[in-house]
Amino acid sequence: MDTPDRAALPASSRAEDSPLFGFIDSMSPIEPLKSAYSTNSLQAYQSLSITSISSIFTSPHHNTQKESKLSKSSFADFNESEVCTDHSDKNKPPSSSNAVRLFACTSSITEETHTATSSVNEGIVDPAKGPNDLPQPGRFESGSPDHNTTPCHGVRSDLKQDKRRKSEAVQTNKNTLENRKCLFSSNIQLPDGCQPEEGNGEVLGCDWEDLVSATSGELLAFDDTSTVEDHGGVRLAVNNAESCGFLLSELNGGCDISDRTHPIGTSQVYYHEMVMEEDKTENAQFFSEGQKTMSGEEMQDNLNEDNACIPLGCKVETHQQRGTRKRCLVFEAAGYSNRTVQKESVGDLTVSKLKGKSVAQNHTNPGKTPSPRVLRGIGLHLNALALTSKDKIVCQDPLSTALVPSVKTEQDMHGNLLSAGENFVHSSGELLDLQMDNDDCLAGGFLGNDHISSQSSSPQKKRRKSDNGDDESCKRCSCKKSKCLKLYCECFAAGVYCSEPCSCLGCLNKPIHEEIVLSTRKQIEFRNPLAFAPKVIRLSDAGQETQEDPNNTPASARHKRGCNCKKSSCLKKYCECYQGGVGCSSNCRCESCKNTFGMRDGAVSVENEEMKQGGEQTESCGKEKENDEQKANVHNGDHQLVELGVPITPPLAISSSLLQQPNFSNAKPPRPSKPRTGSSSRPSKAAASVLSHKIPKVANSVFNEEVPDILTEPASPGIVKTSSPNGKRVSPPHNSLSISPSRRGGRKLILKSIPSFPSLLGDTSSGSAISNSNSAFTESSLALGPP
DNA sequence: GAGTTTGAAACT
DNA sequence: CAGTTTCAAACTC
């Protein structure tokens, strides 16, 4: 679809061509809105269309296309947003740019949601989802070093402080949720749609996370389209040394951001700066317009009211095309998330509305919808890691490590947003919902693996977050010598940027050092294509796993090579298989394997082999097989968790919903038998089926689509249900996890093959697209990468 | 919280 | 490819 234009057009123009774009257009009743915004938006459009984002982002042609498409949709969004704003009452001056309007809309929506439902989760959640998911991929794709926003580095300390503040703020927010129209608040509420499970406190946390993710996502979105946003975000941080932390923290934490951080001036400054930077490359016009649209006051107001969200929105608008996309992404994301939420809670939203309007409506509705948490923010592979044990953190912690980092590093944010945006775009409709859900978790993952991030982030992640949210504390890496640029680093391995929770020293795994991170990743991938592939993928997460395996391990970023345990007998977390809640397979070289999830057997190996086919067929295994039961377990385990040698090769989005971390502690041994019978050989199918089942409403469709692509393909590392690849991530036993089916849904992680770095660079879109799954999307996304 | 153990990752 | 070293998590005290 895009092909012709792409060739001719750098990045920006393509979006229009993309089928997605068209689809979106058809989907959303944007046009009227467009007319409404036409004045501002049109200009922006033009500028956007004209400008090429490409300069910044090498890969993401799709993005550009998306952007263009998004822009259209975005307009619709704007219109909605405007409407919302009107409703909402934001004080935004009429002059406010579209972006402002967007914020207003979001904010208004949130407000409505807030008012409607005191719960914080709703509205915001969605947005967060989108952003979260997207961001990671986006970064990678963009590959732009823009990230270098210094602020991030300092952030941690700030973040910590912020956390405190956040905690306080959260409380305050809770109290003042109604008062605030902030996206955050809305975000907070939104999540519930997905998961009311969590208690209020959790919800809050989730909300925060969502908020953060959302905000991050927004930021990211901007970034994607234009690096400017990133810069802006960065600068914000820079401007306010604290601000960075604040922003992140606030974003994470939610309300605080608006309150604290922004000095309106800062927001504006940051905003302008960002625009400026991007504009340099891209559109000066857009920038100027964007500025116009975003009046400083409005920005401030938005910030104050909406917290960080507003700025994002503003940015988006300012970017015009980019912005539009981003917006779209955001909105869509939000909308989707909202959708999902709504779907759960409400069926109000019409699909048609989903994209553009849906957002606004969704917001309203979502707000209403009490989904407590949708932590969708993070995403990513980081998703995996972040999602996994760390994910917990992210999800749980409003500050969300991932988010925080992402926040810190605008790039992350951008990446997330981008990915999300892509996802949205791709998914346009249904897919979006799923993705949104998944997104949550992708914490800040830079996700070099766009695919992964996007996909992984997508539906499952969200759930994970939600699910995991409760999970354990979010622990993160504590690297000292590796600078978090090696697989030793869980964050890095997971494709996530390090964040507050991390206690690492000399960490270079930050948005600021995106280039370094990406290059390092590439090197590692070059060395070992599977290095970032999820080790284990579980096919069936569905209920069974949840039951048996409380441990759903999100697919970790790590490979699936099989363990080489000698002393741990595969009974401890030292064993990756055990960590992942998967039985050992033929690939394993372990000695005296006693893996409760499944011993290696020939049979197992066989299954694995089948599963792996494309990937690694390692030797048959069979080292030790002690008990038949074990073997049986193994089979089961294998089935469930298939270690995929996930070839990173194609950019695969990982739509993992990984969610649940396996409760190793309980470690239910291997799930005795899963429904998935036997031939676990094709995990993909089984997984798909499983996923479909588990995946809640929206997800199903998406997964189905996705699954086929990824899973079906033997070669591709297909979807793997990951129990947790890495035990860590998986967070050991969350017994409680098993509880909610929804979580289970989360559990089902379909890890699509991990995208290779290149893909990352190239495409955020690919990842997102993949996740979304629409064949078209996938195609486009894929196209992005490879072609 | 410090120290030990462990196995993966990285290196040679 | 195999062996060794490095590393950080997991674990223990």
Side-chain angles (χ1 to χ4, degrees):
Chain A
M1 296 180 64
D2 299 351
T3 58
D5 291 351
R6 288 180 181 174
L9 298 179
S12 64
S13 65
R14 294 178 181 172
E16 293 177 355
D17 294 346
S18 68
L20 293 176
F21 182 79
F23 175 78
I24 292 167
D25 292 348
S26 63
M27 293 295 291
S28 65
I30 294 165
E31 293 178 353
L33 295 178
K34 288 179 180 178
S35 62
Y37 291 91
S38 62
T39 58
N40 294 345
S41 63
L42 291 178
Q43 292 173 344
Y45 256 106
Q46 293 173 345
S47 65
L48 290 177
S49 64
I50 295 167
T51 60
S52 65
I53 297 165
S54 62
S55 62
I56 295 168
F57 304 90
T58 57
S59 63
H61 297 291
H62 294 287
N63 293 345
T64 58
Q65 292 175 342
K66 291 178 180 177
E67 290 176 353
S68 63
K69 292 178 180 177
L70 291 177
S71 63
K72 291 179 181 178
S73 64
S74 65
F75 282 98
D77 292 349
F78 283 100
N79 293 341
E80 293 175 354
S81 65
E82 288 177 352
V83 170
C84 296
T85 54
D86 293 348
H87 294 289
S88 64
D89 54 340
K90 289 181 179 179
N91 297 338
K92 296 175 182 178
S95 64
S96 64
S97 63
N98 294 339
V100 171
R101 291 178 182 177
L102 291 176
F103 282 107
C105 293
T106 58
S107 65
S108 63
I109 293 167
T110 57
E111 289 175 351
E112 290 177 353
T113 58
H114 291 294
T115 58
T117 61
S118 63
S119 67
V120 174
N121 294 342
E122 296 174 350
I124 296 166
V125 171
D126 292 349
K129 291 177 181 178
N132 290 346
D133 293 350
L134 297 182
Q136 291 172 340
R139 290 179 180 175
F140 287 97
E141 291 177 354
S142 65
S144 65
D146 294 347
H147 304 298
N148 296 338
T149 59
T150 55
C152 296
H153 295 288
V155 171
R156 289 183 180 175
S157 61
D158 293 347
L159 292 176
K160 292 177 180 178
Q161 293 174 344
D162 292 347
K163 289 179 179 178
R164 293 176 183 175
R165 293 178 181 176
K166 288 180 180 178
S167 62
E168 294 174 353
V170 170
Q171 294 173 344
T172 57
N173 288 342
K174 292 178 180 177
N175 295 340
T176 62
L177 291 177
E178 293 177 352
N179 293 342
R180 292 180 183 175
K181 295 176 182 178
C182 298
L183 294 178
F184 290 97
S185 61
S186 65
N187 289 341
I188 291 166
Q189 291 174 343
L190 292 180
D192 290 350
C194 300
Q195 303 168 339
E197 295 173 355
E198 294 176 354
N200 293 344
E202 290 175 351
V203 170
L204 292 175
C206 294
D207 292 348
W208 289 107
E209 291 174 353
D210 292 347
L211 292 176
V212 171
S213 64
T215 57
S216 65
E218 291 176 350
L219 294 176
L220 292 176
F222 290 100
D223 291 349
D224 290 349
T225 57
S226 62
T227 55
V228 172
E229 292 175 352
D230 293 347
H231 293 288
V234 172
R235 289 181 180 180
L236 289 176
V238 172
N239 292 343
N240 297 339
E242 292 176 351
S243 64
C244 295
F246 284 98
L247 292 177
L248 295 177
S249 64
E250 287 178 351
L251 291 178
N252 293 340
C255 299
D256 292 351
I257 294 167
S258 62
D259 295 349
R260 299 172 183 172
T261 54
H262 311 306
I264 296 168
T266 57
S267 64
Q268 290 176 340
V269 171
Y270 129 121
Y271 186 77
H272 289 290
E273 289 176 351
M274 293 182 68
V275 172
M276 295 299 292
E277 291 176 353
E278 289 178 353
D279 291 349
K280 291 177 181 177
T281 58
E282 296 177 351
N283 294 340
Q285 292 177 343
F286 171 79
F287 181 78
S288 63
E289 290 177 354
Q291 290 174 340
K292 291 178 180 177
T293 58
M294 299 296 295
S295 64
E297 291 177 354
E298 290 177 353
M299 293 298 292
Q300 292 173 343
D301 292 348
N302 292 338
L303 292 175
N304 292 339
E305 292 177 354
D306 295 352
N307 294 338
C309 296
I310 294 168
L312 294 178
C314 295
K315 290 178 180 179
V316 172
E317 290 177 352
T318 57
H319 293 288
Q320 294 178 342
Q321 290 176 340
R322 295 176 183 176
T324 57
R325 283 188 183 174
K326 290 177 179 179
R327 295 182 203 165
C328 291
L329 293 176
V330 171
F331 283 97
E332 289 176 353
Y336 289 105
S337 62
N338 291 339
R339 291 178 185 174
T340 58
V341 171
Q342 290 176 341
K343 287 179 179 178
E344 293 175 353
S345 64
V346 176
D348 296 352
L349 297 179
T350 60
V351 174
S352 63
K353 291 177 180 178
L354 294 178
K355 292 178 180 178
K357 292 179 179 178
S358 62
V359 172
Q361 291 176 340
N362 290 346
H363 288 290
T364 58
N365 292 341
K368 293 176 180 178
T369 61
S371 58
R373 41 154 64 177
V374 175
L375 294 177
R376 297 157 183 200
I378 299 168
L380 3 288
H381 194 44
L382 79 161
N383 334 293
L385 292 180
L387 294 180
T388 60
S389 60
K390 293 176 180 178
D391 292 350
K392 294 177 180 179
I393 295 168
V394 170
C395 297
Q396 293 175 341
D397 296 350
L399 296 180
S400 68
T401 57
L403 294 178
V404 170
S406 64
V407 172
K408 292 175 179 178
T409 62
E410 292 175 350
Q411 291 176 341
D412 291 348
M413 298 296 293
H414 296 293
N416 293 339
L417 295 177
L418 292 177
S419 64
E422 291 176 352
N423 291 343
F424 292 107
V425 171
H426 296 289
S427 64
S428 70
E430 294 173 351
L431 295 179
L432 294 178
D433 294 349
L434 294 178
Q435 290 175 340
M436 293 302 294
D437 294 348
N438 292 347
D439 295 349
D440 310 353
C441 292
L442 297 186
F446 45 86
L447 291 185
N449 308 332
D450 296 349
H451 328 298
I452 295 168
S453 64
S454 63
Q455 292 174 340
S456 63
S457 63
S458 62
Q460 295 173 337
K461 290 179 180 178
K462 290 179 180 179
R463 291 181 181 176
R464 287 180 182 175
K465 288 180 179 178
S466 62
D467 294 350
N468 290 349
D470 292 351
D471 298 357
E472 301 169 347
S473 60
C474 356
K475 131 181 123 170
R476 280 214 164 187
C477 72
S478 61
C479 303
K480 294 178 181 178
K481 294 181 180 179
S482 66
K483 296 180 180 179
C484 298
L485 292 177
K486 293 187 177 182
L487 293 175
Y488 295 123
C489 177
E490 290 184 355
C491 297
F492 180 81
V496 178
Y497 287 111
C498 292
S499 61
E500 285 187 18
C502 298
S503 60
C504 47
L505 298 176
C507 178
L508 295 178
N509 184 24
K510 294 181 180 179
I512 295 170
H513 298 85
E514 181 179 0
E515 291 179 354
I516 296 171
V517 173
L518 294 176
S519 64
T520 303
R521 282 184 64 106
K522 288 181 181 179
Q523 291 177 351
I524 294 170
E525 282 187 349
F526 179 80
R527 189 189 308 159
N528 178 4
L530 297 179
F532 293 93
K535 289 180 179 178
V536 174
I537 295 170
R538 283 188 182 179
L539 294 180
S540 66
D541 285 346
Q544 294 175 341
E545 288 178 354
T546 55
Q547 294 173 343
E548 291 179 356
D549 297 341
N551 327 330
N552 292 336
T553 56
S556 64
R558 296 179 182 177
H559 345 172
K560 61 171 180 193
R561 286 181 178 169
C563 65
N564 188 26
C565 304
K566 293 179 180 178
K567 294 181 179 179
S568 65
S569 299
C570 301
L571 293 175
K572 293 185 178 182
K573 281 193 170 182
Y574 295 121
C575 176
E576 291 183 354
C577 296
Y578 181 84
Q579 266 192 333
V582 178
C584 292
S585 65
S586 62
N587 292 340
C588 297
R589 300 174 295 282
C590 50
E591 295 178 356
S592 69
C593 176
K594 294 179 182 178
N595 187 333
T596 57
F597 292 95
M599 311 269 304
R600 317 182 203 165
D601 280 351
V604 171
S605 64
V606 171
E607 291 177 350
N608 291 344
E609 289 175 352
E610 290 177 353
M611 296 299 290
K612 294 177 180 178
Q613 291 177 341
E616 305 168 343
Q617 290 174 336
T618 55
E619 306 169 354
S620 60
C621 33
K623 293 179 177 179
E624 298 174 353
K625 317 169 175 177
E626 296 173 352
N627 297 338
D628 292 349
E629 291 177 352
Q630 291 175 340
K631 291 179 181 178
N633 292 342
V634 170
H635 293 290
N636 292 341
D638 289 350
H639 295 293
Q640 293 174 340
L641 300 181
V642 172
E643 290 178 351
L644 295 182
V646 175
I648 295 167
T649 59
L652 297 182
I654 293 170
S655 58
S656 54
S657 39
L658 321 173
L659 312 186
Q660 294 179 342
Q661 299 166 338
N663 296 339
F664 293 98
S665 59
N666 293 346
K668 303 176 173 177
R671 342 145 180 167
S673 54
K674 287 185 173 180
R676 218 199 296 174
T677 58
S679 64
S680 53
S681 62
R682 292 179 182 176
S684 64
K685 291 180 181 178
S689 63
V690 170
L691 292 177
S692 62
H693 296 292
K694 291 179 178 179
I695 294 167
K697 313 169 180 178
V698 173
N700 293 346
S701 64
V702 172
F703 283 98
N704 291 344
E705 291 176 353
E706 290 177 355
V707 167
D709 294 349
I710 297 168
L711 294 180
T712 57
E713 295 175 355
S716 64
I719 297 166
V720 173
K721 290 177 180 180
T722 58
S723 49
S724 53
N726 294 342
K728 294 176 181 178
R729 296 176 183 173
V730 172
S731 70
H734 303 289
N735 295 342
S736 62
L737 294 180
S738 62
I739 299 167
S740 66
S742 64
R743 289 180 180 176
R744 290 178 182 176
R747 286 183 183 176
K748 294 179 180 178
L749 297 181
I750 296 170
L751 295 182
K752 292 178 181 179
S753 62
I754 296 167
S756 61
F757 286 95
S759 63
L760 294 178
L761 295 178
D763 358 11
T764 56
S765 64
S766 65
S768 63
I770 293 167
S771 63
N772 292 343
S773 72
N774 287 345
S775 62
F777 290 94
T778 56
E779 290 177 356
S780 64
S781 64
L782 292 178
L784 293 177

